[in-house]
Amino acid sequence: LLLVFCLLSPVSAVSLAAGPEFLVSWQASSYTPYFYQGKALPTNNSNVTVALELLDSKRPVDISKKVIRWYLDNGLYQSGSGLKTITFKVDLLKRGGYQLKVSLPNFNGLEIEHLTIVPVVAPEVIIDAPYYGGFIKPGLNLFRSLFYFFNIENINQLSAVWTANGLKTASPVPNPDILELNVPVSAVDNSVNLNVNVKNKKSNFEFADNSKIFNVVP
């Protein structure tokens, strides 16, 4: 047992040796609701800003005079001295995500690099309703749609079409995220299939839809 430990310990020591550590962060310009605490994900045509910091032995390293190369999907995107931040636009037809690589070709005589994936997602819309169990009653019912990952600055740049059981329904509220649906008494014991179709007014490539079924009770 002692012999085995002696043979393995040098390997473990090498694997645990401290080395340069890349801190790569990115931020997309896509829209999310104000209460959303997750990361805003890029969709097609989004701007993505990427930033780099480098640590060595857990301490920040001055790389302002080092050549830094950035690659997207193995193609050189940008290169320059001290180029710690870049911004790129997601291709209009991109699917899946980007393989992002940053390389320092001469760090203490060695080339070091780091790989990360920047996902590309489709816009989403969620129907939000304050009705427990999906039950609604005759009269005025309020629904709200929540928008994620559109390339917009505010929701007024979106258009929303609501339908109930396949019939287009108009709301007196001008906001694209709000629907006030007046449910007749005759709908009791039936269901309402509510659908919302959303698109970016400035881009036919950005759209999303969602459906939800509600049961009408007395």
Side-chain angles (χ1 to χ4, degrees), residues 35 126-131 142-146 162 212 214:
F35 56 82
I126 294 174
I127 297 176
D128 182 40
Y131 305 112
L142 182 66
F143 303 90
R144 180 176 66 161
S145 53
L146 304 175
W162 294 84
K212 208 167 188 178
F214 297 89

Side-chain angles (χ1 to χ4, degrees), residues 97-208:
Y98 282 98
Q99 178 178 276
L100 174 70
K101 182 174 78 171
V102 56
S103 169
L104 276 72
N106 185 16
F107 180 78
N108 296 338
L110 299 174
E111 180 175 2
I112 58 175
E113 60 184 35
H114 175 80
L115 289 173
T116 190
I117 300 296
V118 178
V120 176
V121 301
E124 297 180 23
V125 60
I126 294 174
I127 297 176
D128 182 40
Y131 305 112
Y132 180 76
F135 295 105
I136 59 177
K137 295 185 176 183
L140 197 62
N141 292 266
L142 182 66
F143 303 90
R144 180 176 66 161
S145 53
L146 304 175
F147 311 117
Y148 294 84
F149 316 135
F150 284 86
N151 292 315
I152 58 171
E153 296 178 358
N154 60 72
I155 60 173
N156 291 323
Q157 295 174 309
L158 298 174
S159 65
V161 176
W162 294 84
T163 60
N165 292 340
L167 299 176
K168 186 175 179 180
T169 178
S171 174
V173 181
N175 305 53
D177 60 327
I178 300 296
L179 173 67
E180 292 181 351
L181 182 66
N182 196 0
V183 178
V185 175
S186 59
V188 170
D189 295 331
N190 291 295
S191 61
V192 175
N193 187 345
L194 194 64
N195 176 272
V196 60
N197 187 288
V198 185
K199 68 175 183 178
N200 187 335
K201 294 177 182 178
K202 296 183 178 180
S203 174
N204 292 327
F205 289 88
E206 289 182 45
F207 57 88

Side-chain angles (χ1 to χ4, degrees), residues 41-128:
L41 302 177
T43 189
N44 299 97
N45 226 30
S46 294
N47 289 317
V48 180
T49 299
V50 188
L52 166 69
E53 293 293 342
L54 189 71
L55 302 181
D56 195 12
S57 300
K58 304 300 180 181
R59 295 182 179 181
V61 179
D62 180 11
I63 53 176
S64 61
K65 296 182 181 180
K66 297 288 186 182
V67 173
I68 302 173
R69 295 173 180 164
W70 295 91
Y71 298 83
L72 288 176
D73 291 343
N74 297 317
L76 180 63
Y77 176 73
Q78 245 180 315
S79 177
S81 180
L83 189 62
K84 295 169 58 176
T85 303
I86 63 167
T87 298
F88 68 91
K89 184 181 286 289
V90 176
D91 187 88
L92 196 59
L93 300 178
K94 183 67 176 179
R95 295 292 183 269
Y98 282 98
Q99 178 178 276
L100 174 70
K101 182 174 78 171
V102 56
S103 169
L104 276 72
N106 185 16
F107 180 78
N108 296 338
L110 299 174
E111 180 175 2
I112 58 175
E113 60 184 35
H114 175 80
L115 289 173
T116 190
I117 300 296
V118 178
V120 176
V121 301
E124 297 180 23
V125 60
I126 294 174
I127 297 176
D128 182 40

Side-chain angles (χ1 to χ4, degrees), residues 10-30:
V11 176
S12 299
V14 171
S15 64
L16 294 176
E21 180 182 357
F22 286 84
L23 300 180
V24 177
S25 61
W26 56 265
Q27 182 177 1
S29 60
S30 59

